[in-house]
Amino acid sequence: MIKTDLLIIGAGPAGCSAAVYAARSGIKTIIAGGAMPGGQLLQTNDIENYAGFINPVPGFELMDNMHKQCKRLGVEIVSDEIVKLEGSQTPFTLTAAGGTQYQATAVIIAAGASARWLGVEGEERLKGHGVSACATCDGFFFKGKEVVVVGGGNTAFEDALFLSQICPKVTLVHRREGFRADAVTVEKVRNTPNITMQLNCVPEQVLGDTAVTGVILRNVKTQEKIEIPCAGIFVAVGAVPQTEWLKGSGVALEDNGLVKVDARQHTNIDGVFAAGDCTESEFRQAVVAAGSGAKAGIVASAFVNLHR
Ligand code: NAP
């Protein structure tokens, strides 16, 4: 059993920011970040809206800096994936996938969110064979080929821009005519000649036997179906909180899986706090995650100081 003052689950902006505050308060802090510590930022190309950077910064670089900052302050980052949280009061017992157990005076859940899928025919079967949720990771494999991006948010628009640099034709498919993406990004897409938009359309089926060959779209207004030939389909339709593992732990979740927190990042269990995208439905931004992580780090440190 590894004992620590504070165990943080998740090594994205929320977890790292919490750790910075805790470590600087003299709290022994471990971050369990899973096999690929860093969360969704690792899949983001250039970040232009994280305050303090004059020029766009690649997501992996921002995350790498955060991890280095944590380590410099004495935070230990382990690759354990926590699968169980037990205890209705401090100290809490946490179990990792490999069986390692931790005992922590306080816990911060900063587990983030992961890609939402469409759930249409062919999608699951062709994942890794043309169906992807990460243009930054997989885009390279589609160099010189035609691709489709699905979604109307910042991720879809940024993915389309990224892919337009390596693919001759990108079709952006969105289920309505309004977009969640920032106006400046929408404008960039509109001004990119090799990006075409298919609006009021939803994918109905991903085509292909062993690899993607196309996608069938349905126009939601006319019910007309069209086939778009493509080698890759990038699904960018939002994210779901990574909180399945908390079911049965006693930590209260919303119906949509978000961890319920108050304005001071407390969950319903005294000593268990949560921050970042696993708590946020509206403002899923790295800088917001870092902000709520900072709050969680401060309140968790105060809790530890009272209880150790
Ligand atoms: P999002 O903003 O939630 O957008 C998801 C998009 O997918 C929406 O346009 C939605 O359509 C569509 N959608 C959802 N379910 C669908 C379905 N079943 N079929 C077809 N379309 C579906 O998600 P996101 O783009 O991943 O962004 C998540 C958060 O991260 C946002 O807060 C975003 O601003 C942020 N982000 C920021 C940056 C940046 O600032 N550089 C980059 C990436 C992401 P409707 O609009 O009709 O609901």
Side-chain angles (χ1 to χ4, degrees), residues 151-196:
N154 276 318
T155 304
F157 275 71
E158 289 186 7
D159 283 358
L161 285 170
F162 171 70
L163 292 164
S164 72
Q165 295 165 28
I166 50 175
C167 302
K169 185 178 173 202
V170 178
T171 306
L172 182 72
V173 175
H174 182 38
R175 62 185 177 186
R176 59 191 176 98
E177 281 165 31
F179 308 115
R180 289 177 197 264
D182 300 336
V184 63
T185 315
V186 173
E187 205 47 39
K188 278 187 201 164
V189 164
R190 287 210 159 106
N191 291 332
T192 305
N194 60 336
I195 303 179
T196 309

Side-chain angles (χ1 to χ4, degrees), residues 40 44 46-49 116-118 150-156 158 174-176 178-180 182 201-203 236-239 282-285:
Q40 294 172 97
T44 308
D46 282 341
I47 296 154
E48 207 172 17
N49 51 12
R116 176 184 290 133
W117 295 95
L118 294 163
V150 187
N154 276 318
T155 304
E158 289 186 7
H174 182 38
R175 62 185 177 186
R176 59 191 176 98
F179 308 115
R180 289 177 197 264
D182 300 336
C201 285
V202 290
V237 296
E282 193 176 356
F283 304 105
R284 290 200 303 270
Q285 302 288 315

Side-chain angles (χ1 to χ4, degrees), residues 11 14 66 87 121 132 135 155 184 220 227-228 264 269 273 280 296:
M66 288 187 196
E121 201 185 322
S132 168
T155 304
V184 63
V220 293
E227 183 179 329
I228 309 270
R264 297 170 64 81
I269 298 179
F273 307 87
E280 179 63 61

Side-chain angles (χ1 to χ4, degrees), residues 5 14 23 42 75 80 103 107 109 133 138-139 192 214 221 239 266 273 300:
D5 291 335
L42 293 180
V75 175
D80 276 334
Q103 189 187 80
V107 172
I109 301 162
D138 301 330
T192 305
K221 291 202 161 160
H266 290 86
F273 307 87

